[in-house]
Amino acid sequence: MHVPDGFIDAPVSIAAGVAAAGAVAVSLRGARRELDERAAPLAGLVAAFIFAVQMLNFPVAAGTSGHLLGGALAAILVGPYTGVLCVSVVLLMQGVLFADGGLTALGVNIMNMAVVTVVVAYAVFRGLLKLLPDTRRSVTVAAFAGALLSVPGAAVMFTLLYALGGTTDVPLGKVFTAMVGVHVLIGIGEAAITAATVGAVLAVRPDLVHGARGLAAPLKLRVGGELVDAPAAAPVAAPAAARSTKPVWITGLVTALVLAGFVSFYASTSPDGLEKVAADKGIDQNVKEHATADSPLADYSVKDVGDARLSGGLAGVIGVGATVAVGTGIFWTVRRRRAEDLTAASTSSTASTAV
């Protein structure tokens, strides 16, 4: 789904870039409400995990592979606004360091892979939670459905952008059918990965899953024929907000490093959905060489390292490290702004009360 330079013309690429910049700006403001003491330490890790899993292409059809987009996973774990930022950080790292996704197409890719996937997935996720019982299983089921639909949603968005600014003369119907068809299959893999990851975090620390907060209904007792809230039990453990996220953070980082540094060597080498459709339908006739094609890390390999396994593994580890560093820096800055806003609001309220 990473669109290279040359698929979409300059005017539409610029317009998509403006729209993406606006979406990121809105997300930066919205993320202030989401990045509390639980989510802030984990948002950079979520971005790094998505980077790592995106290196694991899985086969979906003859000669075609797919990989995680990550919008659904990020939105459910750390919130939709923060989710847009997580995937945007991943796309920025991939485009600048690894020549994956065109630089002039960065806005197109953010709209496709960050904004649309998050909006579609989170809307489906929240809608289903209103219909399903308040259980952890419902969260996992809703996560599966949201992720499943988010991928063909991104394919539809690409088709719309191609209709507006495609640089080749390929019938729109053929592009739509091919893109949506193959990405429905990729969506199944996306849904399985998302549901498994969300389920794993729910099993260990449900308080860290943004989409599951406030889900548990209070215990009810029948007194005199009426249901009343049960008295609160005495606390036996530290409050959720006070529990350390360090074990989860370390486990997640090690997992991302192993996936990117070792497991990625065994990923499918077949072209992904967009690459396959572009080659089959002729969309790639005007593709341009990436601006950082000579980067030391281009194509997820370290330049001058002869062993393919070592080269790819090192590139993956570097990518995870760079993504978690950049992402954590951004999210802690947003978190600090949230703290400043809360302090200012508290000071203003105190002053008004005193007057």
Side-chain angles (χ1 to χ4, degrees), residues 213-310:
R213 294 182 184 179
L215 200 62
L219 179 64
K220 298 286 186 177
L221 296 178
R222 187 174 296 277
V223 179
E226 296 183 359
L227 289 177
V228 298
D229 290 338
V236 295
R243 296 170 62 188
S244 173
T245 60
K246 185 178 294 185
V248 176
W249 197 93
I250 293 174
T251 301
L253 181 61
V254 170
T255 301
L257 290 171
V258 171
L259 292 175
F262 177 73
V263 181
S264 62
F265 180 77
Y266 301 97
S268 172
T269 57
S270 299
D272 66 23
L274 177 59
E275 291 173 329
K276 180 65 173 176
V277 171
D280 289 348
K281 305 301 179 183
I283 299 175
D284 59 356
Q285 294 174 15
N286 297 318
V287 67
K288 298 178 181 178
E289 184 178 26
H290 200 283
T292 61
D294 294 329
S295 165
L297 298 173
D299 296 324
Y300 298 94
S301 60
V302 178
K303 191 175 183 180
D304 297 329
V305 175
D307 184 270
R309 178 176 297 185
L310 178 60

Side-chain angles (χ1 to χ4, degrees), residues 155-156 159 171-184 277 281:
V156 170
T159 305
L172 188 60
K174 291 185 177 180
V175 176
F176 176 83
T177 302
M179 283 293 293
V180 174
V182 72
H183 284 91
V184 166
V277 171
K281 305 301 179 183

Side-chain angles (χ1 to χ4, degrees), residues 28-93:
L28 284 169
R29 292 187 62 85
R32 294 184 192 181
R33 299 190 297 272
E34 296 172 346
L35 291 171
D36 57 17
E37 62 277 4
R38 289 174 288 179
L42 298 177
L45 174 63
V46 170
F49 183 80
I50 290 172
F51 174 92
V53 180
Q54 282 196 6
M55 294 182 66
L56 308 180
N57 281 48
F58 49 85
V60 295
T64 309
S65 70
H67 63 69
L68 182 82
L69 298 187
L73 178 62
I76 294 166
L77 288 181
V78 291
Y81 293 108
T82 307
V84 170
L85 298 179
C86 283
V87 182
S88 297
V89 168
V90 173
L91 294 171
L92 180 63
M93 293 295 99

